Amino acid sequence: MNGVTTKTWRVVWELILPVALVVIWWFWSAASTNMYFPPLGDILDSFGRTWFGDGFLQHVVPSLRNLIIGYMIGSVIGIVLGVAIGRVGWLRWLMTPIVEYARALPPPALLPFAILLLGIGPEMQVGIIVFGVVFVVLLNTIDGTRGVEPTLDDVATVYQIPRRYRLTEMLLPAASPQIVAGLRTGISLAVILMVVSEMTAATQGIGFFTLQAQQNFNFTDMWSGMVLLAVIGVLANLLFAWFVERPLLFWQAGANAKR
């Protein structure tokens, strides 16, 4: 009973806090005459006018397309390479120096090189997102696969379980908590890199629109872009939690509920 009450209060608090912050922002900014901090009502008017009009097809659709494509490619590459490096000793020995160097390299630092290599356009933006997501997912997958109980391998060997079943029925489920953690972190990083890549040598996208509004001193539109990015980040995490994390880690949630 206490567990149900605690969960209910947690949900209520998660709903009340954002609403309370919006209400505080609304009344605090209502009489604002500062051009840098326009009233929330004006921001919401700009939000509806911009993002429910031509701005949706011109900026939101390209941004979401690049985000989804880059995130999916980076996640698949990260999981595949992570499993291989985590399970194959000689490959881990060979790739560790490269992985350690690449993980320390901030993805935005590659923007000039990416522009030279891929040009200006969606390919460059997707490439930057892929690079950032790959190493977050890769490192978590390596740690997850290396942390699998060795007894599982011994049992699989004794019973002569085929390798494909070892991978799909034993290895990946055992490593799934850390893999999922990497995938969730990758979402936030992908949104950040989407914006950064669109603020450099781009002609469309939410990041491009927000930067252009700021440079043109149109701060109401700039704030509407920032609000939209926050909404996208929150929705992306919620969708991931409901449609990826919960189905994959249902057993973990059940174990935690019994505690």
Side-chain angles (χ1 to χ4, degrees):
M1 190 68 178
N2 291 336
V4 175
T5 304
T6 302
K7 186 175 181 180
T8 302
W9 274 110
R10 187 185 301 120
V11 173
V12 171
W13 175 251
E14 290 176 353
L15 294 175
I16 289 177
L17 182 59
V19 172
L21 292 175
V22 170
V23 171
I24 292 172
W25 185 6
W26 181 283
F27 285 102
W28 175 78
S29 65
S32 174
T33 57
N34 189 326
M35 63 180 295
Y36 301 109
F37 300 100
L40 179 57
D42 294 347
I43 295 174
L44 295 180
D45 288 340
S46 175
F47 186 95
R49 183 179 65 254
T50 303
W51 305 120
F52 290 98
D54 295 337
F56 181 81
L57 292 177
Q58 185 177 358
H59 298 294
V60 178
V61 171
S63 291
L64 293 181
R65 181 193 62 216
N66 296 337
L67 174 67
I68 293 171
I69 293 174
Y71 177 76
M72 295 300 295
I73 294 175
S75 298
V76 171
I77 294 175
I79 292 174
V80 172
L81 285 180
V83 171
I85 295 173
R87 300 298 292 176
V88 181
W90 65 267
L91 185 60
R92 182 166 61 251
W93 175 83
L94 181 66
M95 295 295 297
T96 295
I98 301 175
V99 171
E100 291 300 322
Y101 174 78
R103 71 182 294 189
L105 186 64
L110 291 177
L111 275 172
F113 175 73
I115 293 173
L116 290 175
L117 183 65
L118 301 173
I120 298 174
E123 294 81 6
M124 179 272 291
Q125 295 158 8
V126 170
I128 290 294
I129 295 172
V130 169
F131 181 85
V133 173
V134 158
F135 287 97
V136 172
V137 178
L138 174 67
L139 293 171
N140 278 271
T141 304
I142 292 174
D143 291 339
T145 52
R146 292 193 65 187
V148 173
E149 180 62 42
T151 306
L152 289 176
D153 285 330
D154 297 336
V155 171
T157 301
V158 169
Y159 286 96
Q160 299 181 350
I161 298 177
R163 289 186 179 275
R164 64 178 182 276
Y165 291 117
R166 295 190 194 188
L167 176 65
T168 59
E169 304 298 331
M170 299 175 63
L171 178 62
L172 289 178
S176 58
Q178 285 185 270
I179 295 175
V180 170
L183 291 172
R184 186 158 197 172
T185 304
I187 291 178
S188 301
L189 185 58
V191 174
I192 294 172
L193 294 176
M194 176 193 75
V195 177
V196 171
S197 65
E198 291 174 349
M199 288 184 170
T200 306
T203 58
Q204 59 183 2
I206 304 171
F208 168 78
F209 174 87
T210 304
L211 181 63
Q212 287 293 107
Q214 181 264 328
Q215 292 176 342
N216 293 329
F217 299 97
N218 192 347
F219 296 108
T220 303
D221 285 352
M222 180 196 75
W223 277 99
S224 75
M226 295 168 62
V227 170
L228 177 62
L229 290 171
V231 170
I232 289 174
V234 171
L235 289 178
N237 276 281
L238 288 176
L239 291 173
F240 181 86
W242 279 97
F243 295 105
V244 178
E245 186 174 13
R246 289 197 177 192
L248 291 179
L249 300 182
F250 67 94
W251 53 270
Q252 190 180 49
N256 292 333
K258 294 178 181 178
R259 294 179 182 177

